[in-house]
Amino acid sequence: MMQAIDEDDASLVRGLTAAVEALQDEAVALLSALVREPSLLGQEAGAQKIMAGTFAGLGLEVDTFAIDEAALQGMPGWSPSLISYDGRLNVVGVHRPRAARGRSLILNGHIDVVPPGEAARWTTPPFEPVVREGRLYGRGAGDMKAGIVAYTMAFKALRSLGLAPAAPVYLQSVIEEECTGNGALACLQRGYRAEAAVIPEPFNQTLMTAQLGVMWMQVEVRGRAAHMIDRGQGTSAIDAAFSVAAHLRRLEAAWNEPAARHPRYAAHAHPVNFNLGRIEGGEWTSSVPESCAMHWRLGFYPGEDLAEVRGRVERCVAEAIATDPALAGCAATVRWAGFQAAGFEIDPGAAVLQVLGEAHRAVCGRDAAELACTCTTDARFFALYGDTPATCYGPEASSIHTVDESVSLASLREVTTVLALFMARWCGVEPIA
Ligand SMILES: [Zn+2]
């Protein structure tokens, strides 16, 4: 009997590998169509329309819904939004089995992409997908439209073998992963739960076992204005901002000290990163600047309380103003907007990681490495607030968040096969009616 099951499984692996191979052109076409839609913050509608149509084409029930900001505000994990939610939709493809025998599953991906930066620095325009030497180039190709394509084609590969998951499966395409995570939170608010969630973020086919917390902070520094004649009477807000920044850099260094680290990050070169991502200041070339705004992205460890982290950072800024002679007469106000995201870890022995790791081994013929991630992902919502064990497993991509972003199409094909096999083993399968 065991022999028969092993043979069935081996033929399933072969069948899915061939089915995914046969769907590769369609996968590249879907990925290209998605990259062509510049789904920047607030401009997600075109790409989401493609996903709604794709889910409908797979015979899934399509649940399209707006984000109810009033309902989300009271929920843990909410981050203050940056722009209005009018007309900005999440799309979920819902599979309901005829007989639910297996474990339910959420496959989630974010449709939003970060700005392309200077388009002129790209080898080819950021929103014109191009395949070169086995890689598809374009903003969002790796992060993470390829992941969305992978789980979509994984579901389709099962169908092409006449099979469907024998448990509820929810294919979620969400907005705002890159700034708040409120798109994924809205899926929780809508009631979506499962026995596991997998997000194919482009982490080079590793199994994610932890992710850092991330916060966005704005520090408004005020100096004292003066004409150039009286420069000694004024304090430049821009100079003052850099003095405040030096204090934040010391706090960052302290959090990276070996003794301060979370154990999952013990071997990492520099896990906690404070990024000064934007700075605006000054009014006139011949006037001493009165104000300067710094926009920071701060990392912190899993298990740390958000209010406590905010308190430590606010004390750092307040102490800088109170004690640093370079900041005499200056003031600073701290505001928190955008990400207020806790970190989390998942037990490497968790069933979802075991089954996913075995699927990776069966398809790729090697073990998947574990990843303690230094950024945040939407996985935190499922893990921390949705009672759903969550991880990330996705393709190899390069230059995400910078120019010439690309994804490996060979890796996309492997990930698609792994996700299809994982789905079959996690959910079980039933013949399509
Ligand atoms: Zn991403």
Side-chain angles (χ1 to χ4, degrees), residues 50-373:
I50 291 174
M51 288 318 301
T54 304
F55 291 154
L58 288 173
L60 300 169
E61 177 189 317
V62 181
D63 181 19
T64 303
F65 56 97
I67 286 164
D68 182 350
E69 190 168 5
L72 292 193
Q73 274 170 348
M75 293 180 71
W78 156 259
S79 293
S81 50
L82 300 168
I83 62 169
S84 157
Y85 286 111
D86 282 355
R88 301 174 56 220
L89 304 172
N90 276 342
V91 180
V92 179
V94 178
H95 164 71
R96 296 188 199 286
R98 278 177 292 131
R101 292 179 289 107
R103 291 168 285 191
S104 56
L105 177 64
I106 288 169
L107 293 163
N108 172 289
H110 64 86
I111 202 74
D112 56 312
V113 302
V114 297
E118 269 182 79
R121 292 182 55 226
W122 285 68
T123 306
T124 47
F127 297 109
E128 285 177 24
V130 177
V131 176
R132 287 195 296 272
E133 291 167 1
R135 305 186 71 83
L136 193 144
Y137 287 81
R139 169 58 81 235
D143 187 13
M144 63 163 285
K145 289 171 172 175
I148 291 177
V149 170
Y151 69 57
T152 302
M153 289 299 156
F155 190 89
K156 187 156 192 171
L158 277 174
R159 277 183 71 87
S160 73
L161 299 183
L163 300 171
V169 175
Y170 309 101
L171 306 184
Q172 303 179 338
S173 176
V174 303
I175 65 167
E176 276 206 11
E177 189 272 349
E178 297 284 6
C179 57
T180 62
N182 291 336
L185 184 64
C187 290
L188 286 190
Q189 193 263 333
R190 193 135 174 112
Y192 287 108
R193 297 289 185 281
E195 284 157 276
V198 176
I199 304 182
E201 287 278 11
F203 296 158
N204 195 17
Q205 299 182 238
T206 55
L207 295 167
M208 192 184 78
T209 60
Q211 71 180 37
L212 287 187
V214 169
M215 284 183 184
W216 280 12
M217 168 182 73
Q218 192 180 328
V219 186
E220 176 87 29
V221 179
R222 300 201 69 80
R224 201 144 35 94
H227 188 271
M228 277 299 102
I229 293 168
D230 303 313
R231 192 181 183 285
Q233 299 302 309
T235 309
S236 157
I238 293 177
D239 290 344
F242 282 107
S243 297
V244 172
H247 288 261
L248 287 166
R249 289 284 173 224
R250 284 197 280 280
L251 187 66
E252 177 191 28
W255 290 6
N256 279 296
E257 286 293 329
R261 291 186 181 199
H262 182 284
R264 291 272 168 90
Y265 294 87
H268 204 283
H270 192 268
V272 166
N273 291 296
F274 287 8
N275 184 57
L276 176 51
R278 276 171 63 199
I279 185 159
E280 294 139 15
E283 295 83 28
W284 185 250
T285 308
S286 288
S287 300
V288 176
E290 268 182 276
S291 72
C292 181
M294 293 186 287
H295 300 253
W296 288 84
R297 173 269 193 209
L298 312 172
F300 56 97
Y301 294 111
E304 293 186 335
D305 176 69
L306 278 81
E308 164 68 14
V309 172
R310 283 192 286 262
R312 285 158 76 188
V313 174
E314 285 170 3
R315 278 196 298 282
C316 172
V317 172
E319 278 172 29
I321 295 290
T323 60
D324 189 334
L327 292 166
C330 298
T333 357
V334 171
R335 285 199 312 120
W336 304 94
F339 278 125
Q340 302 298 312
F344 84 96
E345 58 184 314
I346 174 170
D347 178 357
V352 58
L353 289 175
Q354 294 302 310
V355 178
L356 200 45
E358 282 159 19
H360 172 94
R361 204 173 305 119
V363 171
C364 309
R366 57 186 191 273
D367 286 332
E370 289 179 2
L371 173 73
C373 183

